[in-house]
Amino acid sequence: MKPEPTSTTHATEGDTLGPDDLAADDLAPDDHGHHAPATSRHGTALCLSGGGYRAALFHLGALRRLNELGVLARLATVSGVSGGSIVANLLADPRLEFPLGGGVVGGFEDFVAEPLAQLTSRNIRTPALLAKVRPWNWTARDAAIRALADELADAVTWWSTPLRDNAGAGPAVVTCATEIGYGVDWVFEDATAHRPHGRVGDYRLGYAAPPADLRLADVVAASCAFPPFFAPMVLDGVAMHLTGGKKGLESDDERAAILRRVRLTDGGVYDNLGLEPVWKRHATVLVSDGGGVFRARTERTVVGRTLRILGIATNGGQSVRSRWLHAGYARGALHGTSWALDTVVDGSYPRGTTELVNAVRTDLDVFSSQEQHVLERHGYLIADAQVRAHCPELVTEEAPAVPPHDDVADPAVASAALVDSAKRRLLGRS
């Protein structure tokens, strides 16, 4: 049975986070920026953070356990950012079988786990970046991210389906990018999130039905357009007939220019947790955070310094959102739990191995089978512990925990598999 969708129709500036909005005792702003009782929240949402292949594999482990516990089949909405958008859009596969009344989702291995293992065994980053040097792409500013979309469509063939034409049986899927002109969260919503054909846009520029040529692969690529390596994907907001939106102090000419060239970069630049599309309307919010914990370090190169500064800016916004989220949990504004790469629980990897997991590179390059296995096993164990500790009422299937991939169960083996995993290689590992 498809869970009741929680529509994101008519999102406005009220969708942005604020500490007062997460105060439990009172009110949460509704779709029109007014205030409505917090009791209007309903359904369960799962947020899948950014973090490249590392995050995607960590989320896979969490999803495997959520499926065994009967939680996956009852989700109303899944939001995805960057690496999280890869997994979120695999869940949109119409071949998945969501049972009536809850239970275990059929086809998980064939249509989620196996395609992700194949994708993360492939370097899609380098071929996409090299597309920019071809003479016929010199004038196309978004040639690399368009090439990345083609790589994704080649790896997951059904992602050639237009967003507007895909109707899965599972939860509503919302994929997030960052719109540069106004610096806000841009959403790609599927037909379950917004009927009948889905919706794209943001509260500043307005919304429209997805254009007929916008593939699921394009949606995932836009969310993964990590700067400065990938230039933003460019869409024509005028041709899409974006309507509504909230104009600021910019001139009409400036606004028209932004509409003609809507530039979309990695969703994690604005909201790496994928909270904004879901936090306000759902009674329960689960967050799987595959982003690395920010560490003190020195940088010796201009590129390294640029990435470091970008990381500081991104981490600041994420930290604030995380604090607001947990304040909301503590005060009863919403229910739920979160888990992250650096979480250590009984039965999972010890601190030393977990530190190596947290340091794994954020990339769309080849991950070895052992790297894949460690990340998935870690996500499985952490999600199991957090859901059972903080949201036991969500569990409908009493399935004993059987962590995947016994080949990396030994922390010493797992640590050895990750000893070189922090390093990015210029042309990739393939």
Side-chain angles (χ1 to χ4, degrees), residues 19-28 36-39 41 327-328 330-334:
D20 293 338
D21 297 333
L22 284 180
D25 25 6
D26 327 286
L27 309 167
T39 53
R41 296 174 178 271
R331 298 188 62 182
L334 72 169

Side-chain angles (χ1 to χ4, degrees), residues 242-278:
L242 293 175
T243 59
K246 183 174 181 181
K247 185 178 181 298
L249 299 177
E250 71 281 0
S251 69
D252 290 341
D253 287 344
E254 288 172 325
R255 182 173 176 82
I258 295 172
L259 272 168
R260 284 193 301 271
R261 288 181 53 83
V262 177
R263 295 167 297 153
L264 303 178
T265 194
D266 192 300
V269 173
Y270 183 77
D271 175 15
N272 198 51
L273 296 180
L275 276 169
E276 297 227 354
V278 305

